[in-house]
Amino acid sequence: MTVQWVAVATFLYAEIGLILIFCLPFIPPQRWQKIFSFHVWGKIATFWNKAFLTIIVLLIVLFLDAVREIRKYSYAHAIEKSSVRSPSAYEHTQMKLFRSQRNLYISGFSLFFWLVLRRLVTLITQLAKELSTRGALKTQMENTSVAARKLMEENEKLKRLLKTYGKGEQHMLEAENKKLVEDQEKLKTELKKTSDALSKAQNDVMTMKMQSERLSKEYDRLLKEHSELQDRIEKGNKKGL
């Protein structure tokens, strides 16, 4: 096996090991999320996409090369199988074909597991975020339930207090209402009396005004008669002289 295929095989074994570790049931996704959030991964993340695409391209090239070799040695294997002149050449071609098939499987599974590994890491990260969000929502829901329970207990206490003091307060309100009604009736009575007195006073004023006008007229008439009598007396005195 050449160096490049040894590297690809090692890469395949590393992928299988990582996938098995990620699938261990006793390691929660939150733990992987903490591991993925290390500062080292933050520095590598800038080159991660480029490295991912580069490895995919290399694996695809190796896979296509293995396919080409398989087609090549399959054709040669068929020719040498029909010929019985060189058994050693047939065995050599068969060995090359086996190596080409092995390389095809190694590169194909490496490419497949590389994509699976990328998807698995993404799903673990999303699952950890969902679990964290669910935990936060659960805590918030519990706090809301506790607050709602406290409010319901306080509401029940208030209802009991209202039932206890409600009757006494109702009697007090009825007594105050009754007193207000009585005061209102008294005010109405006093207002009626005041209105009657005011009407009577207005009538008296009108009567006095009419009497004053009659007296004023009578005074004017008497004043006029007095002036006439005085004029007559003065005329009689002048004639006697």
Side-chain angles (χ1 to χ4, degrees):
M1 185 181 290
T2 59
V3 178
Q4 63 178 4
W5 291 110
V6 171
V8 174
T10 304
F11 184 72
L12 174 62
Y13 300 148
E15 287 177 330
I16 294 172
L18 285 175
I19 290 173
L20 290 176
I21 292 173
F22 285 146
C23 292
L24 291 176
F26 55 85
I27 302 178
Q30 292 88 345
R31 184 66 58 81
W32 290 117
Q33 178 67 19
K34 292 180 180 179
I35 294 174
F36 296 154
S37 61
F38 287 163
H39 296 290
V40 177
W41 301 113
K43 295 178 180 178
I44 298 176
T46 55
F47 307 100
W48 169 247
N49 291 326
K50 294 181 180 179
F52 178 77
L53 294 175
T54 303
I55 292 174
I56 285 180
V57 171
L58 291 175
L59 292 175
I60 290 175
V61 170
L62 292 173
F63 180 79
L64 294 176
D65 183 65
V67 171
R68 183 186 61 80
E69 289 184 355
I70 287 175
R71 294 182 63 183
K72 173 183 174 183
Y73 291 114
S74 295
Y75 180 73
H77 176 69
I79 294 174
E80 292 176 358
K81 186 176 181 180
S82 61
S83 176
V84 295
R85 291 179 298 178
S86 55
S88 61
Y90 172 74
E91 291 177 357
H92 180 73
T93 304
Q94 189 176 10
M95 182 183 65
K96 290 286 187 180
L97 179 62
F98 170 75
R99 289 179 179 176
S100 300
Q101 292 174 347
R102 180 201 61 193
N103 295 336
L104 176 69
Y105 293 138
I106 291 174
S107 59
F109 279 108
S110 296
L111 179 62
F112 173 73
F113 285 134
W114 183 240
L115 297 174
V116 170
L117 188 63
R118 172 69 178 269
R119 184 61 178 169
L120 186 61
V121 171
T122 304
L123 291 176
I124 289 174
T125 304
Q126 291 178 355
L127 181 60
K129 291 180 180 179
E130 292 294 331
L131 291 175
S132 300
T133 304
R134 189 182 69 176
L137 291 175
K138 185 178 180 181
T139 304
Q140 185 178 2
M141 184 179 66
E142 290 177 354
N143 294 332
T144 305
S145 299
V146 172
R149 193 178 300 112
K150 290 181 179 179
L151 288 175
M152 291 177 66
E153 291 176 356
E154 292 179 358
N155 192 13
E156 292 295 329
K157 290 180 181 179
L158 290 174
K159 286 182 179 180
R160 288 195 294 269
L161 290 173
L162 287 174
K163 288 180 180 179
T164 304
Y165 298 104
K167 294 182 179 180
E169 292 181 355
Q170 186 176 1
H171 289 304
M172 291 176 63
L173 290 174
E174 289 178 355
E176 290 181 358
N177 191 17
K178 186 177 180 181
K179 185 178 180 181
L180 288 173
V181 170
E182 291 178 355
D183 293 339
Q184 185 179 6
E185 292 296 330
K186 289 180 180 180
L187 289 173
K188 285 182 178 180
T189 303
E190 292 179 358
L191 181 61
K192 187 177 180 181
K193 290 179 179 179
T194 305
S195 298
D196 294 340
L198 180 61
S199 299
K200 186 178 180 181
Q202 288 178 352
N203 293 329
D204 293 339
V205 168
M206 292 297 294
T207 303
M208 292 178 66
K209 185 177 180 181
M210 292 174 66
Q211 290 178 357
S212 176
E213 289 178 354
R214 286 197 297 268
L215 289 173
S216 178
K217 290 179 179 179
E218 186 67 20
Y219 175 77
D220 291 337
R221 188 181 63 80
L222 292 175
L223 184 61
K224 187 177 181 181
E225 290 180 356
H226 177 72
S227 297
E228 291 177 354
L229 289 174
Q230 190 175 4
D231 291 337
R232 289 178 183 177
I233 290 171
E234 288 179 354
K235 288 178 180 182
N237 292 330
K238 287 180 179 181
K239 289 178 180 183
L241 293 173

